[in-house]
Amino acid sequence: KPKMLDESPAELIKHFEHPNGWWRDTAQRLLVLSQDRSVVPQLKTMVKNSKNILARFHALWSLEGLGALKPELIQELFKDSNPKMRIQAMRAGETLYKAGNESLGTDYLNLLDDESVDVAIQAMLSANILKVPTLDTGIKKLLKSNNAKGIQTIGVQILEPEEVRNWWEIPGSQISDVEKSKLEKGRVIFNELCVQCH
């Protein structure tokens, strides 16, 4: 039986290598809630050296949750031999970019050329959400050099996004003005109250 509420942050970190996901998630949650930054060196060591990829993920996201994530570490992880780690680094690095460290933008663009299709797709998605300048040029180049279906699909969707419209606004829809009015009121209610969870 775990007794994590009585454990120190240093003891919680050991659970990141536990085979049970609940143990790992709970240890990470408690560690981040504690905001105890004394374990930052241990977390950095785990991110870089653990043989357990899941432990590395938890350590990375714990650093992010403690506000101790540094661009140098992210840039190092962008070159990690495991493509899954490179993907997690891109996702975690979004926090730093949003906080003003736009130097990572070049790294995201460079990862468009990654040998892993999954990494290249994540680079497109992250750079798109962050609005990294010259992404369009990078995607056009990638679409010419990589025929992977996922890259082609995501790349085209980013370059040529479809306009999203309510189905009742499409010309020719068989709906009365009264019904359109009710749907519009429902849309407003949904966007004010429901959208946060749904």
Side-chain angles (χ1 to χ4, degrees), residues 81-173:
S81 62
N82 190 320
K84 292 179 181 177
M85 194 72 231
R86 297 195 298 274
I87 289 170
Q88 290 300 317
M90 279 189 279
R91 291 177 177 162
E94 291 175 11
T95 301
L96 297 175
Y97 190 94
K98 290 175 187 175
N101 193 323
E102 296 183 5
S103 65
L104 293 174
T106 303
D107 297 303
Y108 283 103
L109 295 177
N110 289 339
L111 285 163
L112 292 173
D113 297 326
D114 195 276
E115 61 189 32
S116 164
V117 169
D118 293 334
V119 171
I121 289 172
Q122 184 61 50
M124 282 193 286
L125 295 171
S126 291
N128 184 51
I129 200 77
L130 297 172
K131 302 194 182 333
V132 174
T134 71
L135 174 62
D136 288 3
T137 304
I139 290 178
K140 287 174 186 171
K141 180 182 163 196
L142 179 61
L143 292 176
K144 289 178 184 172
S145 66
N146 194 321
N147 291 325
K149 185 162 177 65
I151 285 177
Q152 294 294 318
T153 301
I154 301 297
V156 169
Q157 287 175 353
I158 290 172
L159 292 176
E160 302 166 14
E162 289 186 26
E163 181 185 355
V164 178
R165 296 172 56 185
N166 295 315
W167 63 268
W168 62 85
E169 296 173 334
I170 298 171
S173 59

